[in-house]
Amino acid sequence: MSTIQLTLIGKPGCHLCDDAREAIHDVTAALPDASRVALEERSILDEPELFDRYADEIPVVLIDGRQHTYWRVDKERLSAALTERLA
């Protein structure tokens, strides 16, 4: 069973990023096999290439390196995507 890499790209002090983090934690906590989901947080302030690519879209959520969503996290959509990958 492989691990799913979930990446939250944001920056400190971003209230939408805080909301996204909370939504991600709610979704992953409810998954039957949450231990297979690894969350990594990256800041656009620490990585110029992320700033150039995502500055106008944060927070951005990637699933296994592919963009899933930006600005707001839809819990049902994220849950469905992760559940499908866990199957």
Side-chain angles (χ1 to χ4, degrees):
M1 292 189 187
S2 61
T3 299
I4 297 167
Q5 182 63 50
L6 195 57
T7 306
L8 173 60
I9 300 171
K11 69 178 183 179
C14 166
H15 73 279
L16 290 177
C17 301
D18 294 339
D19 293 347
R21 184 180 303 104
E22 184 177 324
I24 289 168
H25 285 294
D26 289 349
V27 168
T28 56
L31 292 172
D33 200 357
S35 65
R36 289 186 44 213
V37 179
L39 176 61
E40 173 188 24
E41 291 194 41
R42 296 171 65 184
S43 172
I44 63 169
L45 301 180
D46 296 333
E47 301 180 51
E49 63 278 0
L50 291 180
F51 185 89
D52 292 343
R53 184 166 182 187
Y54 297 116
D56 295 330
E57 297 179 347
I58 63 168
V60 176
V61 176
L62 309 177
I63 299 176
D64 290 332
R66 298 187 68 173
Q67 186 168 329
H68 172 73
T69 194
Y70 63 95
W71 291 336
R72 299 214 184 266
V73 175
D74 180 311
K75 290 181 184 182
E76 290 180 19
R77 183 171 174 259
L78 179 60
S79 179
L82 293 175
T83 299
E84 180 180 323
R85 289 189 178 265
L86 288 170

